[in-house]
Amino acid sequence: MDKKLFGVGLILLSLVSALPLSAQFLPQEIGQRDQWEQFLLEAEIVKAEPLSQGVTKPWKLYLRKGDVEAAGAWKNISKKLGGGGRDSWKYEIAAYRLDKLIGLGMVPPAVEREFRGKAGALSLWADSKYNLVDIVEQGIQFPGSAQKHIDDMGFVYRLWGSLIANDDPTQENIRYTEDWRMILIDHSRAFRSDKEYTERLVFGIKGIKMYQSTGQPYLIRRVPRDLLERIKALDFAAIKQAVGPYLTDKEIQSVVVRIKLIEKEMAEMIKQHGEDTVIY
């Protein structure tokens, strides 16, 4: 394991073909996830500082184990939100585990770790060059060579947000590496299980979220076939085994219900635009 975040190691050739088109972490980075999970669990906390950003009052922890040093974001928020949702550190771990289950490859490793006498989620620090706020506010232009990839990953982000009912999709939480790979952080307000989030998707033709300027929906226009098929294949037992104690049975069942909504959503998109346009 290299000293850098998801450090450069040997590319696992057998893993390359298994990665879905959505995966943003490199093959060697994904191959090191188990090692980073162990690092997050066992590394010494050599320094800690509260982060001013974010309403969940996270901490940045500086970690060291042997000659490996890295940082992590720790939070232990657990509170009810208006409208029936929760803001919970447990959802950070559930999101990471679900990412692994479907092969999304966009969520950094996260584990349960005690800090200052309290249990919480410790996520590997996501080194990135930009977040979407920086890009919008500073007028940063996407390079033409990366535009299609960025657009496609935007639709994958909407698919993911719809699956986990992320009620707080902010531009700060969409990160880009220097080579324009998309990394997703902060899932503590996901996994809504109240009625609205089992009848409608967050994004889509009849989605909960709309463009404020036009009132038009955020469509899920294009998705990788392999990722969609992995999502469609999920059932209650598989999700429960993956997420363990970090989601309730009601929250897991809500994910299962949204999978059916996603199937209907993508079937309608195919009907409107053709399968070759929607699925790749």
Side-chain angles (χ1 to χ4, degrees), residues 21-273:
L21 293 173
S22 63
Q24 298 295 279
F25 289 124
L26 301 173
Q28 66 267 27
E29 295 171 341
I30 290 178
Q32 292 172 351
R33 285 190 302 193
D34 289 348
Q35 294 170 280
W36 280 114
E37 289 175 30
Q38 206 64 31
F39 175 85
L40 291 170
L41 288 168
E42 299 175 353
E44 175 190 3
I45 300 170
V46 296
K47 180 182 176 183
E49 57 187 28
L51 295 174
S52 58
Q53 293 181 333
V55 298
T56 57
K57 297 181 172 58
W59 287 72
K60 185 173 185 179
L61 305 185
Y62 296 85
L63 308 166
R64 181 171 61 216
K65 181 181 178 183
D67 63 349
V68 178
E69 297 182 356
W74 182 89
K75 66 173 67 172
N76 75 322
I77 191 162
S78 180
K79 69 176 184 180
K80 291 183 178 180
L81 299 171
R86 290 195 64 82
D87 199 337
S88 172
W89 62 268
K90 293 183 179 181
Y91 297 159
E92 299 285 359
I93 301 170
Y96 169 59
R97 292 187 173 190
L98 190 57
D99 169 292
K100 289 207 300 181
L101 182 63
I102 64 174
L104 182 71
M106 298 174 78
V107 179
V111 301
E112 181 176 343
R113 176 75 186 259
E114 187 174 295
F115 172 62
R116 294 165 65 97
K118 297 178 181 179
L122 178 59
S123 302
L124 193 62
W125 194 263
D127 282 341
S128 57
K129 186 167 184 177
Y130 311 105
N131 63 46
L132 195 52
V133 172
D134 297 332
I135 290 169
V136 173
E137 291 184 350
Q138 298 175 29
I140 297 170
Q141 297 296 312
F142 293 124
S145 59
Q147 188 65 60
K148 183 180 182 301
H149 169 77
I150 291 167
D151 291 343
D152 284 346
M153 290 308 101
F155 295 132
V156 169
Y157 164 75
R158 293 177 189 178
L159 178 65
W160 169 246
S162 295
L163 176 66
I164 65 172
N166 188 351
D167 190 51
D168 187 39
T170 66
Q171 293 179 329
E172 272 189 349
N173 298 334
I174 301 175
R175 304 295 179 93
Y176 293 95
T177 63
E178 189 169 6
D179 55 352
W180 299 105
R181 290 177 287 124
M182 181 187 287
I183 308 299
L184 303 178
I185 65 169
D186 196 353
H187 295 87
S188 66
R189 292 192 177 188
F191 299 104
R192 296 290 295 263
S193 58
D194 38 310
K195 184 177 180 181
E196 183 176 21
Y197 293 86
T198 56
E199 293 182 345
R200 300 166 65 194
L201 298 173
V202 172
F203 302 108
I205 298 168
K206 297 181 180 179
I208 295 168
K209 300 293 184 183
M210 301 281 183
Y211 285 100
Q212 290 184 351
S213 58
T214 64
Q216 296 298 307
Y218 291 94
L219 297 176
I220 308 172
R221 292 295 304 269
R222 283 171 48 80
V223 297
R225 184 182 301 276
D226 58 352
L227 178 63
L228 182 60
E229 291 302 319
R230 291 185 194 204
I231 290 173
K232 289 164 61 177
L234 293 178
D235 59 18
F236 183 94
I239 298 171
K240 188 174 181 66
Q241 182 177 11
V243 302
Y246 299 107
L247 292 182
T248 66
D249 284 356
K250 181 180 179 182
E251 290 164 344
I252 294 171
Q253 186 57 43
S254 297
V255 175
V256 174
V257 171
R258 286 190 293 272
I259 291 169
K260 301 302 181 184
L261 295 179
I262 286 171
E263 288 189 59
K264 293 179 181 178
E265 176 74 20
M266 301 320 300
E268 181 59 30
M269 290 299 292
I270 289 171
K271 181 179 177 181
Q272 291 184 18
H273 302 284

